[in-house]
Amino acid sequence: MYVVDFPIVDIDPVRKFILVNSASIVLNFILLLAAFIVIYSLLFKKISAVYISRPPRRYRVLFGFIGGVLASVTVLLSVLTTTDFDDFHFIDALTIGLRTYFIFISLYGGGAVAGWTTLACITVVRWLVDPNLRIAEELTCIDLFVFAITWIGLRLDLDRKWRWALISTTTILLQSGFFMLKGMGLEELLLFMGSMLVVAIVVYFIMHYVIRSLEMYVYFQRNAMQDYLTKLDNLRSLHMKIARLVKRMQNTSQDYTVMIADIDHFKSINDTYGHAAGDEVLRQFSQLLTEYCPKKDILARMGGEEFCLILSGGLEESEKLANQIREAVAGHLFSLPTQQSAFITVSFGLASCNRDRVHTIEDMHEVMDEADQALYAAKTAGRNRVTVMQARDAGHRPRRMGWN
């Protein structure tokens, strides 16, 4: 039996202290940052401009505040790990450098509001707990520079990995220059830069995976709930919104109007100009509907040339809106891909409802059938008109089975 003797490496106590504490700081930082990224994924629907055009400010402030609290832990670490050793600069520099990634993720995920909130939290905590006010002031200036670098970098038209590389490299060089001016030795400076580079690579891959997953989630959700051609809600999304509306109606006395619109003689457009022209007419018609339909109400393409609007208002108000849309469509010159143009008309059928009338989804389907009957009456009467279905008129036409 052979016994292998490994040479015992005598490590200087100070260097051992630095290496052990550095590894601990990096690992704890990655855990904190991973928690922040998880929080970003949970708040993604509320704060991301990819998912919502104008994210509510309160959620962006909340996201930035959470990032600031987590980053403040590293501020406390930098104060607690400051020692009387001559080489303490590396540990302190590492904790100072690592917290800037919280600023980056806040800016990336929640925009300027979240970024400023995180930066404010870091600054306040640093000034409260750091006994050296001059250093605190200088580090605040460094964080402001990092904020500016990140803000500019995120707006450059570069691939994500090159943007990350540019922001990380510039930030590391800026911080390294500051610590070199503060007397950090070359060996510690290189160790700091190497550690920061490793962390930058790890954080990039974590962020890349999370962001790609969220982007795919948004892509598939939108395709499942959005009409591909017009970008309006599709029939599946319409059914889901109707289910939520029925529940909401039980708690309000608000009147609602179901409006069904159908483009007149749409088949002749396809036959005369081609299906590409028909698609373009549908897109432009959808834009007109979007301009007139209040954002709080429901607008969806049901299929073909038929659209559904559910408006929060009575019949009289909704009938006026329908006539405004009808006149706008009749006066709009639709540009076609064939370099030609065409005029079209549209017919509307309306039916009203409220909580006394609608208690279940099936009740809402009956109201939609009444609006469909009103549309049929408008078509029969000559098209390009608005017809309102009164309760006494319902039942003249068999119920269409497409709502269920």
Side-chain angles (χ1 to χ4, degrees):
M1 180 176 180
Y2 294 94
V3 178
V4 180
D5 293 328
F6 290 97
I8 298 175
V9 180
D10 186 17
I11 301 178
D12 180 71
V14 173
R15 189 171 302 277
K16 182 177 180 180
F17 173 85
I18 293 174
L19 293 175
V20 171
N21 280 273
S22 301
S24 176
I25 289 170
V26 170
L27 290 175
N28 282 290
F29 162 78
I30 291 176
L31 289 175
L32 288 172
L33 196 64
F36 191 38
I37 294 172
V38 170
I39 292 170
Y40 169 61
S41 64
L42 294 175
L43 291 176
F44 179 73
K45 285 187 178 182
K46 304 292 186 181
I47 63 174
S48 176
V50 175
Y51 194 86
I52 182 172
S53 57
R54 297 186 64 181
R57 181 168 296 180
R58 63 182 181 275
Y59 290 110
R60 289 181 286 166
V61 171
L62 174 62
F63 178 65
F65 178 75
I66 294 172
V69 170
L70 294 175
S72 297
V73 175
T74 64
V75 175
L76 297 174
L77 283 173
S78 66
V79 174
L80 294 174
T81 54
T82 301
T83 69
D84 294 329
F85 294 119
D86 294 335
D87 304 81
F88 85 93
H89 300 285
F90 171 71
I91 299 175
D92 202 36
L94 192 60
T95 55
I96 292 168
L98 291 175
R99 76 182 60 132
T100 57
Y101 286 102
F102 289 94
I103 299 175
F104 170 79
I105 295 176
S106 292
L107 274 170
Y108 185 90
V113 173
W116 280 117
T117 304
T118 300
L119 180 60
C121 291
I122 295 173
T123 303
V124 169
V125 173
R126 178 186 292 127
W127 282 76
L128 288 175
V129 301
D130 197 334
N132 192 328
L133 296 182
R134 184 175 61 83
I135 293 295
E137 181 180 342
E138 292 174 348
L139 293 179
T140 300
C141 292
I142 291 294
D143 285 345
L144 286 171
F145 276 113
V146 170
F147 184 98
I149 291 169
T150 306
W151 178 259
I152 295 171
L154 289 175
R155 274 147 185 75
L156 295 178
D157 187 19
L158 296 173
D159 187 72
R160 183 179 294 148
K161 62 177 177 290
W162 296 118
R163 248 185 334 196
W164 179 263
L166 178 64
I167 293 171
S168 299
T169 303
T170 307
T171 301
I172 292 171
L173 290 175
L174 174 67
Q175 293 170 337
S176 299
F178 171 77
F179 295 127
M180 185 170 61
L181 291 175
K182 289 299 174 182
M184 181 183 286
L186 180 60
E187 182 180 350
E188 286 74 21
L189 188 65
L190 293 175
L191 187 58
F192 166 76
M193 296 176 69
S195 301
M196 290 292 292
L197 183 61
V198 170
V199 171
I201 294 172
V202 172
V203 172
Y204 167 76
F205 280 107
I206 295 174
M207 284 292 294
H208 178 74
Y209 173 78
V210 171
I211 292 169
R212 285 291 296 166
S213 299
L214 293 172
E215 288 175 345
M216 292 300 293
Y217 167 78
V218 171
Y219 174 79
F220 286 116
Q221 186 180 55
R222 283 181 175 173
N223 277 274
M225 298 296 177
Q226 189 180 73
D227 178 63
Y228 178 77
L229 180 64
T230 63
K231 308 306 179 186
L232 300 178
D233 289 337
N234 59 16
L235 193 58
R236 178 184 297 177
S237 179
L238 176 62
H239 283 309
M240 293 181 64
K241 290 189 175 182
I242 286 174
R244 291 196 291 266
L245 177 62
V246 170
K247 292 181 180 179
R248 192 164 65 248
M249 287 177 67
Q250 309 312 309
N251 301 316
T252 178
S253 58
Q254 173 76 54
D255 290 329
Y256 289 88
T257 300
V258 175
M259 180 190 300
I260 297 182
D262 188 276
I263 299 175
D264 299 327
H265 300 296
F266 183 72
K267 184 177 182 300
S268 65
I269 297 174
N270 284 330
D271 294 341
T272 305
Y273 302 104
H275 289 280
D279 290 345
E280 183 59 30
V281 168
L282 289 172
R283 276 191 287 266
Q284 293 182 39
F285 178 65
S286 300
Q287 291 172 1
L288 285 171
L289 288 179
T290 302
E291 291 175 8
Y292 281 91
C293 180
K295 294 187 181 298
K296 63 179 180 178
D297 293 328
I298 299 173
L299 170 60
R301 182 188 178 197
M302 298 168 60
E305 68 274 22
E306 198 167 54
F307 297 78
C308 178
L309 298 85
I310 303 181
L311 308 172
S312 53
L315 273 176
E316 184 178 352
E317 179 185 353
S318 299
E319 185 178 5
K320 290 180 181 178
L321 178 62
N323 276 303
Q324 290 176 2
I325 299 173
R326 182 185 61 79
E327 293 171 1
V329 171
H332 181 79
L333 186 62
F334 286 78
S335 301
L336 307 178
T338 57
Q339 308 304 319
Q340 298 171 292
S341 55
F343 287 101
I344 66 169
T345 59
V346 62
S347 300
F348 291 90
L350 279 65
S352 66
C353 62
N354 53 38
R355 67 180 181 183
D356 296 328
R357 168 75 191 280
V358 175
H359 303 282
T360 64
I361 296 175
E362 287 72 22
D363 293 336
M364 180 60 82
H365 290 167
E366 291 180 3
V367 177
M368 296 178 73
D369 277 316
E370 291 177 10
D372 193 48
Q373 292 176 38
L375 174 64
Y376 180 78
K379 294 284 188 179
T380 304
R383 297 181 171 85
N384 190 26
R385 64 189 64 222
V386 177
T387 301
V388 176
M389 176 61 71
Q390 303 296 337
R392 63 180 180 273
D393 300 328
H396 291 176
R397 186 167 172 242
R399 182 170 185 243
R400 184 163 64 174
M401 302 302 293
W403 307 130
N404 293 328

